[in-house]
Amino acid sequence: MGKFSERKVIAEIAGRQRTGAADLIKGIGDDCAVIRKSPGCVELWTTDTLVEGVHFDLSWHAPELLGRKAVNVNFSDIGAMGGKPRFILLSLGLTQAVEKAWLDAFMQGFLTVLEQYDVILTGGDTVSSGERIMISVTVCGEMDERHVCFRSQAQPDDRIWVTGTLGDAAGGLMLCQKGMFPAEKYNRLCQAHLDPKPPVALGSKLAKSGLIHAMMDLSDGLATDLAHICKASRVGAEIAGQDVPLSGELQSAARSLHFDPLKLALEGGEDYQLVFTAPPQNSQMLVELCSRENIEIICLGRIIDGDGVVLCRNGQRREIGFCGYEHTF
Ligand code: ADP
Ligand code: MG
């Protein structure tokens, strides 16, 4: 193919999907598809693929951590709707280079996370995939229909919140690529890339609380993911550069290696944190809810009328919508 972007391909595919169904509440266009299972109860479906050489490199990604990550990036999407993961399918495209010990360690990591969340492996597929390993995981989750959090529910004057710190995973990937792993000093960054731990249970608590409007997980960088919320909700967003949460390790790596940590936080992907919007009067209750779960949240902006995502930094305003990570072909 020529120069196609992931977003264009998805829009093209979505445009060809003509049929609906009475029990399909949300199809293409959110973190999960939402399907009514029984009165008041919905199923959530999501799938994510990891490709060798694109998402992981065997020289620094231990198989056990890769197994964990393959599950966690999918659970992140379930948590972003407010749901609980229940069942999982695992499809593996394997190469000649794969050895039994590697596969054993991969499955060990994979199954450990399933145990942690009480999720059952119910099937999958195993094929030869030529030169590169491919790991495709599909998860089915469930939740109360009343509490589902869509990308499309942000409202003007909502405050924009994120969990954790941003840019660590992109920083960790950069260190791995520069051959600086293992790096005691920057362990947090490398772990964020190698072994992300999305706040799935918090997503469910936030949804149940009724305190928030829109929510999604951060997989492609805040600049892109917030733009998805804005587009789906037909609103704009303004974020304050100085309020974007950066870890001490990312700032220290940025000083040593001469990169802009804010750029990584906004445009680097794979943080698997949550971004959500909520009316300003709920701020205090949200901080308390998250602190009971031992998770820090930070308010870094607000939803406005209009469209796009504007970064306010050093007295200047810059449009950054969809500047995050995107696959091209
Ligand atoms: P996420 O990052 O939350 O996993 P994506 O950006 O990958 O979401 O996808 C956005 C939406 O497009 C989702 O609803 C996803 O299911 C859908 N999607 C992505 N690729 C395809 C495809 N090849 N066919 C149909 N739907 C797709
Ligand atoms: Mg997502």
Side-chain angles (χ1 to χ4, degrees), residues 71-138:
V71 180
N72 272 317
V73 300
N74 279 278
F75 286 4
S76 176
D77 279 319
I78 299 281
M81 307 298 294
K84 183 185 173 323
R86 292 293 316 280
F87 302 103
I88 191 164
L89 302 171
L90 168 63
S91 294
L92 290 172
L94 301 178
T95 66
Q96 298 296 329
V98 171
E99 295 189 347
K100 181 164 184 312
W102 185 93
L103 197 56
D104 284 347
F106 173 87
M107 285 313 301
Q108 169 71 28
F110 188 91
L111 294 170
T112 304
V113 184
L114 298 203
E115 223 167 86
Q116 183 194 332
Y117 283 91
D118 199 16
V119 166
I120 305 169
L121 176 59
T122 48
D125 197 15
T126 306
V127 297
S128 153
S129 61
E131 301 300 308
R132 294 172 176 209
I133 297 173
M134 228 183 86
I135 304 155
S136 188
V137 170
T138 302

Coordinates of all heavy atoms in Angstrom, one line a residue, residues 71-138:
V71 N -1.8 -9.1 27.5 CA -3.1 -9.1 28.2 C -3.4 -7.7 28.7 O -4.5 -7.2 28.5 CB -3.0 -10.0 29.5 CG1 -4.4 -10.0 30.2 CG2 -2.7 -11.4 29.1
N72 N -2.5 -7.0 29.3 CA -2.8 -5.7 30.0 C -3.2 -4.6 29.0 O -4.1 -3.8 29.3 CB -1.5 -5.3 30.8 CG -1.5 -5.8 32.2 OD1 -2.6 -5.9 32.8 ND2 -0.4 -6.3 32.7
V73 N -2.7 -4.6 27.8 CA -3.1 -3.6 26.8 C -4.5 -3.8 26.4 O -5.2 -2.8 26.1 CB -2.2 -3.5 25.6 CG1 -0.7 -3.2 26.0 CG2 -2.2 -4.7 24.7
N74 N -5.0 -5.0 26.5 CA -6.4 -5.3 26.2 C -7.3 -4.9 27.4 O -8.4 -4.4 27.2 CB -6.6 -6.7 25.7 CG -6.2 -6.9 24.3 OD1 -7.1 -6.6 23.4 ND2 -5.0 -7.3 24.0
F75 N -6.9 -5.3 28.5 CA -7.6 -5.0 29.7 C -7.8 -3.5 29.9 O -8.8 -3.0 30.5 CB -7.0 -5.6 31.0 CG -7.2 -7.1 31.1 CD1 -7.8 -7.9 30.1 CD2 -6.7 -7.8 32.2 CE1 -8.0 -9.2 30.2 CE2 -6.9 -9.2 32.3 CZ -7.5 -9.9 31.3
S76 N -6.8 -2.8 29.4 CA -6.8 -1.3 29.5 C -8.0 -0.8 28.8 O -8.7 0.1 29.3 CB -5.5 -0.8 28.9 OG -5.5 0.6 28.9
D77 N -8.4 -1.3 27.6 CA -9.5 -0.9 26.9 C -10.8 -1.2 27.6 O -11.8 -0.5 27.6 CB -9.5 -1.5 25.5 CG -8.6 -0.7 24.5 OD1 -8.6 0.5 24.6 OD2 -7.9 -1.4 23.7
I78 N -10.9 -2.4 28.3 CA -12.1 -2.8 29.0 C -12.2 -1.8 30.2 O -13.4 -1.3 30.5 CB -11.9 -4.2 29.6 CG1 -11.8 -5.2 28.4 CG2 -13.1 -4.6 30.5 CD1 -13.0 -5.6 27.7
G79 N -11.2 -1.5 30.9 CA -11.2 -0.6 32.1 C -11.6 0.8 31.6 O -12.3 1.5 32.4
A80 N -11.2 1.2 30.4 CA -11.5 2.5 29.9 C -13.0 2.7 29.6 O -13.5 3.9 29.6 CB -10.7 2.8 28.6
M81 N -13.8 1.6 29.5 CA -15.2 1.8 29.3 C -15.9 1.7 30.7 O -17.1 1.9 30.9 CB -15.8 0.6 28.5 CG -15.2 0.4 27.1 SD -15.4 1.8 26.0 CE -17.1 1.9 25.7
G82 N -15.1 1.2 31.7 CA -15.6 1.0 33.0 C -16.0 -0.4 33.4 O -16.6 -0.7 34.4
G83 N -15.5 -1.3 32.5 CA -15.9 -2.7 32.7 C -14.9 -3.6 33.4 O -13.8 -3.2 33.8
K84 N -15.3 -4.9 33.5 CA -14.5 -5.9 34.1 C -14.2 -7.0 33.1 O -15.1 -7.5 32.4 CB -15.3 -6.5 35.3 CG -14.5 -7.5 36.1 CD -15.4 -8.1 37.2 CE -14.6 -9.3 37.9 NZ -13.8 -10.1 37.1
P85 N -12.9 -7.4 32.8 CA -12.6 -8.4 31.8 C -13.1 -9.8 32.4 O -13.0 -10.1 33.5 CB -11.1 -8.4 31.7 CG -10.6 -7.7 32.9 CD -11.7 -6.8 33.4
R86 N -13.6 -10.6 31.5 CA -14.1 -12.0 31.9 C -13.4 -13.1 31.1 O -13.0 -14.1 31.6 CB -15.6 -12.1 31.6 CG -16.5 -11.2 32.5 CD -16.5 -11.6 34.0 NE -16.6 -13.1 34.1 CZ -17.7 -13.8 34.1 NH1 -18.8 -13.2 33.9 NH2 -17.7 -15.1 34.3
F87 N -13.4 -13.0 29.7 CA -12.9 -14.1 28.9 C -11.9 -13.6 27.9 O -12.0 -12.4 27.5 CB -14.1 -14.8 28.2 CG -15.1 -15.3 29.1 CD1 -16.3 -14.6 29.3 CD2 -14.9 -16.5 29.8 CE1 -17.3 -15.1 30.2 CE2 -15.8 -17.0 30.7 CZ -17.0 -16.3 30.9
I88 N -11.0 -14.4 27.5 CA -9.9 -14.0 26.6 C -9.6 -15.0 25.5 O -9.7 -16.2 25.8 CB -8.7 -13.6 27.4 CG1 -7.6 -12.8 26.6 CG2 -8.1 -14.8 28.1 CD1 -6.6 -12.1 27.5
L89 N -9.3 -14.5 24.3 CA -8.8 -15.4 23.2 C -7.4 -15.0 22.9 O -7.1 -13.8 22.8 CB -9.7 -15.2 22.0 CG -11.2 -15.5 22.1 CD1 -11.9 -15.0 20.8 CD2 -11.4 -17.0 22.3
L90 N -6.5 -16.0 22.6 CA -5.1 -15.7 22.3 C -4.8 -16.3 20.9 O -4.8 -17.5 20.7 CB -4.2 -16.3 23.4 CG -2.8 -16.3 23.0 CD1 -2.2 -14.9 22.9 CD2 -2.0 -17.1 24.2
S91 N -4.4 -15.4 20.0 CA -3.9 -15.9 18.7 C -2.4 -15.6 18.5 O -2.0 -14.5 18.7 CB -4.7 -15.2 17.5 OG -6.0 -15.6 17.6
L92 N -1.7 -16.6 18.2 CA -0.2 -16.5 18.1 C 0.2 -16.8 16.7 O -0.1 -17.8 16.1 CB 0.4 -17.5 19.0 CG 0.3 -17.2 20.5 CD1 0.8 -18.4 21.3 CD2 1.0 -16.0 20.9
G93 N 1.0 -15.9 16.1 CA 1.7 -16.1 14.9 C 3.2 -16.3 15.2 O 3.8 -15.4 15.7
L94 N 3.7 -17.5 15.1 CA 5.0 -17.8 15.6 C 6.0 -18.0 14.4 O 5.6 -18.3 13.3 CB 5.0 -19.1 16.5 CG 4.0 -18.9 17.7 CD1 4.0 -20.2 18.5 CD2 4.4 -17.8 18.6
T95 N 7.3 -17.8 14.8 CA 8.3 -18.0 13.7 C 9.3 -19.2 14.1 O 9.2 -19.7 15.2 CB 9.2 -16.7 13.7 OG1 9.9 -16.6 15.0 CG2 8.4 -15.4 13.5
Q96 N 10.2 -19.5 13.2 CA 11.1 -20.6 13.4 C 12.0 -20.3 14.6 O 12.5 -21.2 15.3 CB 12.0 -20.7 12.2 CG 11.3 -21.1 10.9 CD 10.7 -22.5 11.0 OE1 11.2 -23.3 11.6 NE2 9.6 -22.6 10.3
A97 N 12.2 -19.0 14.9 CA 13.1 -18.7 16.0 C 12.5 -18.9 17.4 O 13.2 -18.9 18.4 CB 13.5 -17.2 15.9
V98 N 11.2 -19.2 17.5 CA 10.6 -19.4 18.8 C 11.0 -20.7 19.4 O 10.8 -21.8 18.8 CB 9.1 -19.2 18.7 CG1 8.4 -19.6 20.0 CG2 8.7 -17.8 18.3
E99 N 11.4 -20.7 20.7 CA 11.8 -21.9 21.3 C 10.8 -22.2 22.5 O 10.1 -21.3 22.9 CB 13.2 -21.8 21.9 CG 14.2 -21.7 20.7 CD 15.6 -21.8 21.2 OE1 15.9 -21.7 22.4 OE2 16.4 -22.0 20.2
K100 N 10.8 -23.5 22.9 CA 9.8 -23.8 23.9 C 10.0 -23.0 25.2 O 9.0 -22.6 25.8 CB 10.0 -25.3 24.3 CG 8.9 -25.8 25.3 CD 8.7 -27.2 25.4 CE 7.6 -27.6 26.4 NZ 7.7 -26.9 27.6
A101 N 11.2 -22.7 25.6 CA 11.4 -22.0 26.8 C 10.8 -20.6 26.7 O 10.3 -20.0 27.7 CB 12.9 -21.9 27.1
W102 N 10.9 -20.0 25.5 CA 10.4 -18.6 25.3 C 8.8 -18.7 25.4 O 8.2 -17.9 26.1 CB 10.8 -18.2 23.9 CG 10.4 -16.7 23.6 CD1 11.1 -15.6 23.8 CD2 9.1 -16.3 23.1 NE1 10.4 -14.5 23.4 CE2 9.2 -14.9 23.0 CE3 7.9 -16.9 22.7 CZ2 8.1 -14.1 22.5 CZ3 6.8 -16.2 22.2 CH2 6.9 -14.8 22.2
L103 N 8.3 -19.7 24.8 CA 6.8 -19.8 24.8 C 6.3 -20.1 26.2 O 5.3 -19.6 26.7 CB 6.4 -21.0 23.8 CG 4.9 -21.0 23.4 CD1 4.5 -19.7 22.8 CD2 4.6 -22.1 22.5
D104 N 7.0 -21.0 27.0 CA 6.7 -21.2 28.4 C 6.7 -20.0 29.2 O 5.7 -19.7 29.9 CB 7.7 -22.2 29.0 CG 7.4 -23.6 28.5 OD1 6.4 -23.9 27.9 OD2 8.3 -24.5 28.7
A105 N 7.7 -19.2 29.0 CA 7.8 -17.9 29.8 C 6.7 -16.9 29.4 O 6.1 -16.3 30.2 CB 9.2 -17.3 29.6
F106 N 6.5 -16.9 28.1 CA 5.4 -16.0 27.6 C 4.1 -16.3 28.2 O 3.3 -15.5 28.8 CB 5.3 -16.1 26.0 CG 4.1 -15.3 25.4 CD1 4.3 -14.0 25.1 CD2 2.9 -16.0 25.3 CE1 3.2 -13.3 24.6 CE2 1.8 -15.3 24.7 CZ 1.9 -13.9 24.4
M107 N 3.8 -17.7 28.2 CA 2.5 -18.1 28.7 C 2.4 -17.9 30.3 O 1.4 -17.6 30.8 CB 2.2 -19.6 28.4 CG 1.8 -19.8 26.9 SD 0.5 -18.7 26.3 CE -0.9 -19.0 27.4
Q108 N 3.6 -18.1 30.9 CA 3.6 -17.9 32.3 C 3.2 -16.4 32.7 O 2.3 -16.2 33.5 CB 5.1 -18.1 32.8 CG 5.4 -17.7 34.2 CD 4.7 -18.6 35.2 OE1 4.4 -19.8 35.0 NE2 4.3 -18.0 36.4
G109 N 3.7 -15.5 31.9 CA 3.4 -14.0 32.1 C 1.9 -13.8 31.8 O 1.1 -13.2 32.5
F110 N 1.5 -14.4 30.7 CA 0.1 -14.2 30.2 C -0.9 -14.7 31.2 O -1.8 -14.0 31.6 CB -0.1 -15.0 28.9 CG -1.3 -14.8 28.1 CD1 -1.4 -13.8 27.2 CD2 -2.4 -15.6 28.4 CE1 -2.6 -13.6 26.4 CE2 -3.6 -15.4 27.7 CZ -3.7 -14.4 26.7
L111 N -0.7 -15.9 31.7 CA -1.6 -16.6 32.7 C -1.6 -15.9 34.0 O -2.6 -15.9 34.7 CB -1.3 -18.1 32.8 CG -1.6 -18.8 31.4 CD1 -1.0 -20.2 31.5 CD2 -3.1 -18.8 31.1
T112 N -0.5 -15.3 34.4 CA -0.4 -14.7 35.7 C -1.3 -13.5 35.8 O -2.0 -13.3 36.8 CB 1.1 -14.1 36.0 OG1 1.9 -15.2 35.8 CG2 1.2 -13.5 37.3
V113 N -1.4 -12.7 34.7 CA -2.3 -11.6 34.7 C -3.8 -12.1 34.7 O -4.7 -11.5 35.3 CB -2.0 -10.6 33.5 CG1 -2.9 -9.4 33.6 CG2 -0.6 -10.2 33.5
L114 N -4.0 -13.2 33.9 CA -5.4 -13.7 33.9 C -5.8 -14.1 35.3 O -7.0 -13.8 35.7 CB -5.5 -15.0 33.0 CG -5.2 -14.8 31.5 CD1 -5.9 -15.9 30.7 CD2 -5.7 -13.5 31.0
E115 N -4.9 -14.7 36.0 CA -5.2 -15.1 37.4 C -5.5 -13.9 38.3 O -6.5 -13.9 39.0 CB -4.0 -15.9 38.0 CG -4.3 -17.1 38.8 CD -3.1 -17.9 39.0 OE1 -2.4 -17.6 40.0 OE2 -2.7 -18.8 38.2
Q116 N -4.7 -12.9 38.1 CA -4.9 -11.7 38.9 C -6.3 -11.1 38.7 O -6.9 -10.6 39.6 CB -3.8 -10.7 38.4 CG -3.7 -9.4 39.2 CD -2.8 -8.4 38.4 OE1 -1.9 -8.8 37.6 NE2 -3.1 -7.1 38.5
Y117 N -6.8 -11.2 37.5 CA -8.1 -10.6 37.2 C -9.2 -11.6 37.1 O -10.4 -11.3 36.8 CB -8.0 -9.9 35.8 CG -7.3 -8.5 35.9 CD1 -6.0 -8.4 35.6 CD2 -8.0 -7.4 36.2 CE1 -5.3 -7.2 35.7 CE2 -7.4 -6.1 36.2 CZ -6.0 -6.1 35.9 OH -5.4 -4.8 36.0
D118 N -8.9 -12.9 37.4 CA -9.9 -13.9 37.4 C -10.6 -14.0 36.0 O -11.8 -14.0 35.9 CB -10.9 -13.6 38.5 CG -11.8 -14.9 38.8 OD1 -11.3 -16.0 38.5 OD2 -12.8 -14.7 39.4
V119 N -9.7 -14.1 35.0 CA -10.2 -14.1 33.6 C -9.9 -15.5 33.0 O -8.8 -16.1 33.3 CB -9.6 -13.0 32.8 CG1 -9.7 -13.2 31.3 CG2 -10.2 -11.6 33.2
I120 N -10.7 -16.0 32.1 CA -10.5 -17.4 31.6 C -10.1 -17.4 30.1 O -10.8 -16.7 29.3 CB -11.8 -18.2 31.8 CG1 -12.3 -18.2 33.2 CG2 -11.6 -19.6 31.3 CD1 -13.7 -18.8 33.4
L121 N -9.1 -18.1 29.8 CA -8.6 -18.2 28.4 C -9.6 -19.3 27.8 O -9.6 -20.4 28.2 CB -7.2 -18.7 28.4 CG -6.6 -19.1 27.0 CD1 -6.6 -17.8 26.1 CD2 -5.2 -19.6 27.2
T122 N -10.3 -18.8 26.7 CA -11.4 -19.6 26.2 C -11.1 -20.1 24.7 O -11.9 -20.8 24.1 CB -12.7 -18.9 26.2 OG1 -12.5 -17.6 25.6 CG2 -13.3 -18.8 27.6
G123 N -9.9 -19.7 24.2 CA -9.6 -20.1 22.8 C -8.6 -19.2 22.2 O -8.0 -18.4 22.8
G124 N -8.5 -19.4 20.8 CA -7.5 -18.6 20.1 C -7.1 -19.3 18.8 O -8.0 -20.0 18.2
D125 N -5.9 -19.1 18.4 CA -5.4 -19.7 17.1 C -3.9 -19.7 17.1 O -3.3 -18.8 17.8 CB -5.9 -18.8 15.9 CG -5.9 -19.5 14.6 OD1 -5.7 -20.8 14.6 OD2 -6.0 -18.9 13.6
T126 N -3.3 -20.6 16.5 CA -1.9 -20.7 16.4 C -1.4 -21.0 15.0 O -1.9 -22.0 14.4 CB -1.3 -21.8 17.3 OG1 -1.9 -21.7 18.6 CG2 0.2 -21.8 17.4
V127 N -0.6 -20.1 14.4 CA -0.2 -20.2 13.0 C 1.3 -19.8 12.9 O 1.9 -19.3 13.8 CB -1.0 -19.2 12.1 CG1 -2.5 -19.6 12.1 CG2 -0.8 -17.8 12.5
S128 N 1.8 -20.1 11.7 CA 3.2 -19.7 11.4 C 3.0 -18.3 10.8 O 2.2 -18.1 10.0 CB 3.8 -20.7 10.5 OG 4.7 -20.0 9.7
S129 N 3.9 -17.4 11.2 CA 3.8 -16.0 10.7 C 5.0 -15.5 10.0 O 5.3 -14.3 10.0 CB 3.3 -15.1 11.8 OG 4.3 -15.0 12.8
G130 N 5.8 -16.4 9.4 CA 7.0 -16.0 8.7 C 8.1 -15.4 9.5 O 8.6 -16.1 10.4
E131 N 8.4 -14.2 9.3 CA 9.6 -13.6 9.9 C 9.4 -13.0 11.3 O 10.3 -12.8 12.0 CB 10.2 -12.5 9.0 CG 10.6 -13.0 7.6 CD 11.6 -14.1 7.7 OE1 12.7 -13.9 8.3 OE2 11.4 -15.2 7.1
R132 N 8.1 -12.6 11.6 CA 7.9 -11.9 12.8 C 6.8 -12.5 13.7 O 5.8 -12.8 13.1 CB 7.5 -10.4 12.5 CG 8.5 -9.6 11.8 CD 7.9 -8.3 11.4 NE 8.9 -7.5 10.8 CZ 8.9 -6.1 10.8 NH1 7.8 -5.5 11.4 NH2 9.8 -5.4 10.3
I133 N 7.0 -12.5 14.9 CA 6.0 -13.0 15.9 C 4.9 -12.0 15.9 O 5.1 -10.8 15.9 CB 6.6 -13.1 17.3 CG1 7.7 -14.2 17.3 CG2 5.5 -13.5 18.3 CD1 8.5 -14.3 18.6
M134 N 3.7 -12.5 16.0 CA 2.5 -11.7 16.1 C 1.6 -12.2 17.2 O 1.4 -13.4 17.3 CB 1.7 -11.7 14.8 CG 1.3 -10.4 14.3 SD 0.3 -10.6 12.8 CE -1.3 -10.8 13.5
I135 N 1.2 -11.3 18.1 CA 0.3 -11.7 19.2 C -0.9 -10.9 19.2 O -0.9 -9.7 19.3 CB 1.1 -11.4 20.5 CG1 2.5 -12.1 20.5 CG2 0.2 -11.9 21.7 CD1 3.5 -11.4 21.5
S136 N -2.0 -11.6 19.0 CA -3.3 -10.9 18.9 C -4.2 -11.4 20.0 O -4.4 -12.6 20.1 CB -3.9 -11.2 17.5 OG -5.1 -10.3 17.3
V137 N -4.8 -10.5 20.7 CA -5.6 -10.9 21.9 C -6.9 -10.2 21.8 O -7.0 -9.1 21.4 CB -4.8 -10.5 23.2 CG1 -5.7 -10.6 24.4 CG2 -3.6 -11.3 23.4
T138 N -8.0 -11.0 22.1 CA -9.3 -10.5 22.1 C -9.9 -10.7 23.5 O -9.8 -11.8 24.0 CB -10.2 -11.2 21.1 OG1 -9.6 -11.0 19.8 CG2 -11.6 -10.6 21.0

